[in-house]
Amino acid sequence: MFHSESTRFLEKNEVLGSVDVDIYTDIIGKNRVEVLKKKAEPLSNKEWAHVNSTFKGGGVAEMLKSVVPIAKGLGINTKWYCIEGDNDFYSITKRFHNIIQGVDQKFTLRDLFETYIKTNKDNFKDQVISEDFAVVHDPQPCASIVHGHYEGKVVWRCHIDTSEANEMIWHFLLPYINNYDSVIFSMKEFVKEGIKKPVYQITPAIDPLTRKNRKRTRQEALDTLDDLFKEHGIDPERPIVLAVSRYDIHKNQKTIIRSFLELKKDPAVKKLKPQLVIVGNSASDDPEGVTMYQEILKVIDGDPDIFPLLNIPNNEENIGALMKIAYVFIHVSTKEGFGLVVTEALWQGTPVIGSNVGGIVLQVIPAKTGFLVEPFDVERIVGFTRHFLLNDEERERFGMQAVEHVRENFLITTLVEKYIRLMRFLVGTDYPYFKI
Ligand code: UDP
């Protein structure tokens, strides 16, 4: 049942190939590249597996698309397995996701046993993950530690904020979590009580060389966006306020829209005629996307300066280009594991107004890379957006600091290095310093 047995998985692994880490030299410097290679040397005869539930859409898939080829290029035989489920499975795991992040939704014993556990079991019916080190991502395949078959060391990598997880779901998941060798969270604050295994902190990261994150000039970005802008009637001469994320209840796009509608009333801003571009997609393991999009449309109510886009063509290039030309990026989630979109915007030199929530606070340094607000604080969102729209120099200063903050902390090479340290410790001899 794994995609690994289907052509899709095989194709994916061929397409991913391997990447020589030297290509990152211009961005992180020769020294860091050499350190990474040296750290990977003892793992050259080892195998590494990732297990998640989608090849496409969302932050996990985004990172694995780069982590797997880089690890291969470093000589570690790395595979990406993706469990398969039916619509019921994705609908339940999406509910898990919401409940874990504090939303009050229901699930039944039948959901747990006949769908969630059964899907985990079925995926492993004829499949052994024999790699020396396996990283299992998020709740969807979490139960596979008991119902699946792993031969090496296995860690559960949780990308979401579990700090206020509903007690019932947490107590359902805990026995599984405590069967892993270790657990990884993005932040110390996300670790809820009851975990009896060593916990490590690894923050997510972006690949600076993908089509989305590559550096481009403003003019290149505008050329890229030409078709999209013409199709939707977006004016490249007018300032753009940007928001990008899945259409999801926690992403709080409605507050961004309400803030923009307020912002437009400001006389100084009015003259600039800003446009709000909201881009969103729906991941294949997320059945709620389209419904959320419909709700967003209702709030926008036909406002001619707001452009809600769903599953845009040439996604990678267009997202990167939008992040480059935006005057400011807004991301005010009510819960946020990390928020790769924030990293991507900062890396393109765009300041971010982010909510004081989850991993966003690691990225948005107030008065340096952007500003932090409470998720529903329309007044402050308006104030800071106004600030960036009206101050070219400020935007530039923040933008430069933003790029350096990402280079220092949130590039994919740093992420791979941390995984390698943990892998060396679990299958070898090292002791990683980032244990919580
Ligand atoms: N994304 C995209 N197109 C879209 C919306 C989102 O490519 O229309 C990407 C976005 O650029 C980012 C990822 O999806 O790389 C979302 O990751 P994030 O950590 O922000 O949120 P998640 O979806 O994992 O909650």
Side-chain angles (χ1 to χ4, degrees), residues 84-336:
E84 268 185 329
D86 58 14
N87 289 344
D88 276 355
F89 175 72
Y90 292 124
S91 148
I92 287 162
T93 53
K94 177 68 194 184
R95 248 180 290 149
F96 273 23
H97 186 104
N98 291 342
I99 296 165
I100 289 171
Q101 297 209 127
V103 179
D104 189 18
Q105 290 182 337
K106 301 272 172 279
F107 56 88
T108 62
L109 281 179
R110 178 176 286 205
D111 290 340
L112 297 181
F113 288 93
E114 287 190 12
T115 307
Y116 176 68
I117 291 177
K118 185 173 182 304
T119 304
N120 271 269
K121 264 186 190 161
D122 286 353
N123 270 280
F124 281 81
K125 220 175 252 160
D126 310 304
Q127 183 79 42
V128 176
I129 306 284
S130 60
E131 282 77 1
D132 304 275
F133 179 58
V135 180
V136 179
H137 297 263
D138 280 343
Q140 295 92 332
C142 181
S144 68
I145 190 67
V146 170
H147 302 290
H149 188 163
Y150 294 92
E151 289 188 340
K153 298 286 182 185
V154 197
V155 303
W156 187 55
R157 200 303 179 214
C158 182
H159 295 265
I160 54 185
D161 179 349
T162 56
S163 54
E164 289 170 31
N166 159 296
E167 292 295 325
M168 269 204 295
I169 194 70
W170 186 242
H171 283 106
F172 171 73
L173 286 176
L174 257 184
Y176 296 116
I177 298 171
N178 282 327
N179 257 284
Y180 285 86
D181 291 295
S182 304
V183 187
I184 302 171
F185 284 93
S186 299
M187 290 177 84
K188 198 175 171 175
E189 290 74 8
F190 294 174
V191 187
K192 199 172 159 71
E193 74 280 355
I195 298 181
K196 298 194 175 109
K197 291 298 170 71
V199 178
Y200 299 92
Q201 178 180 13
I202 297 184
T203 44
I206 58 164
D207 184 342
L209 295 181
T210 57
R211 293 198 300 138
K212 186 182 290 172
N213 298 317
R214 70 180 179 84
K215 291 289 182 188
R216 66 250 299 160
T217 62
R218 188 176 163 78
Q219 191 50 52
E220 275 170 340
L222 287 170
D223 291 346
T224 301
L225 291 165
D226 198 40
D227 287 346
L228 186 76
F229 279 13
K230 281 196 179 119
E231 186 189 337
H232 294 280
I234 301 169
D235 185 347
E237 303 295 326
R238 289 165 54 193
I240 286 179
V241 175
L242 180 66
V244 177
S245 64
R246 279 181 297 114
Y247 284 108
D248 173 282
I249 192 164
H250 292 108
K251 303 294 181 182
N252 194 16
Q253 284 111 332
K254 288 181 191 170
T255 298
I256 301 176
I257 294 161
R258 292 191 181 112
S259 305
F260 186 79
L261 291 172
E262 277 306 306
L263 175 80
K264 281 198 339 174
K265 296 178 188 161
D266 181 286
V269 170
K270 215 178 228 168
K271 283 190 204 139
L272 288 174
K273 294 192 186 161
Q275 307 161 99
L276 173 63
V277 177
I278 301 195
V279 188
N281 61 358
S282 47
S284 59
D285 63 349
D286 177 359
E288 284 175 5
V290 177
T291 321
M292 275 305 295
Y293 176 69
Q294 309 291 354
E295 280 189 31
I296 299 279
L297 291 185
K298 282 189 210 148
V299 183
I300 294 173
D301 192 25
D303 187 287
D305 300 319
I306 305 181
F307 300 87
L309 312 179
L310 176 66
N311 294 331
I312 57 173
N314 194 13
N315 177 77
E316 303 290 296
E317 287 288 353
N318 277 333
I319 297 272
L322 277 165
M323 287 182 168
K324 171 73 188 175
I325 65 156
Y327 277 46
V328 57
F329 186 84
I330 308 184
H331 196 66
V332 288
S333 314
T334 51
K335 287 277 175 190
E336 190 59 82

